[in-house]
Amino acid sequence: MKKCVFAGTFDPPTLGHKDIVMKSLELFDEVIVAILINPNKKPLFTVEQRLAMLRKVFAEYKTVRVLSYDGLTVDLLKREGVKYYVRGIRNGTDYDYEAQLNFINVDMYKDMITVFFPTRQEFLHISSGLVKDALRFNKNVDKYIPEEIRGDLKKYLEEANRNV
């Protein structure tokens, strides 16, 4: 069984993320969507909220598993018995960054193979960071996020605003 990991902060999940998972399903028997808990980032949504959103987006795909982790991605790959690491690439800057990470990761996990998927043209401008910025200013982001979680995003933002 060929498995892959697609890791990120997914804060929030976007149509670009969904597209990469769908491409991965064409090649792999199981896709593990892994939320990295990065202490250097201050996410807008909690880990639990992001897990719930991703599980909702991929609910009908029995070969997609969603989890969270902290630490290094290579350690997650080893723990899960996975050697394929999927990355989405929007542009040359993304490629340069991901290629650098690949060299370090492969040094730590020799069996690891990074698979780069180019983003579809209609998703090139979408990033979680830009979506978060728009959300902070109460802008509509429906055309950038999966339909399955549009209501959840609004609900989570209302909860966050009540707690401020």
Side-chain angles (χ1 to χ4, degrees), residues 57-146:
V57 169
F58 300 111
E60 69 181 80
Y61 302 95
K62 301 306 175 208
T63 57
V64 174
R65 186 162 44 108
V66 177
L67 55 82
S68 65
Y69 74 103
D70 58 4
L72 296 176
T73 303
V74 291
D75 293 331
L76 172 69
L77 289 164
K78 288 177 188 177
R79 188 168 57 245
E80 292 290 330
V82 175
K83 68 179 182 177
Y84 298 101
Y85 183 43
V86 168
R87 305 305 298 149
I89 302 293
R90 290 174 295 205
N91 53 39
T93 303
D94 281 356
Y95 176 79
D96 290 342
Y97 175 77
E98 295 294 343
Q100 281 183 326
L101 281 180
N102 177 64
F103 297 133
I104 293 168
N105 287 336
V106 169
D107 193 44
M108 290 185 273
Y109 180 28
K110 303 287 186 227
D111 293 335
M112 183 179 143
I113 298 171
T114 302
V115 178
F116 295 122
F117 284 117
T119 302
R120 291 189 351 210
Q121 186 171 4
E122 63 263 33
F123 301 140
L124 284 175
H125 64 291
I126 301 173
S127 73
S128 289
L130 294 175
V131 170
K132 273 195 302 197
D133 288 344
L135 286 169
R136 285 186 178 111
F137 291 98
N138 297 314
K139 299 298 181 193
N140 185 313
V141 296
D142 285 356
K143 63 183 175 179
Y144 310 125
I145 59 171

Side-chain angles (χ1 to χ4, degrees), residues 15-56:
L15 289 173
H17 295 134
K18 184 175 182 180
D19 181 55
I20 298 301
V21 172
M22 301 312 293
K23 287 176 181 177
S24 298
L25 286 170
E26 295 286 324
L27 295 177
F28 298 99
D29 301 311
E30 181 182 19
V31 177
I32 300 168
V33 180
I35 297 173
L36 168 62
I37 301 168
N38 185 340
N40 298 322
K41 289 190 176 183
K42 186 172 180 350
L44 181 60
F45 300 99
T46 68
V47 173
E48 294 76 20
Q49 290 169 335
R50 289 177 279 155
L51 284 167
M53 286 188 280
L54 285 167
R55 287 181 178 135
K56 196 174 217 179

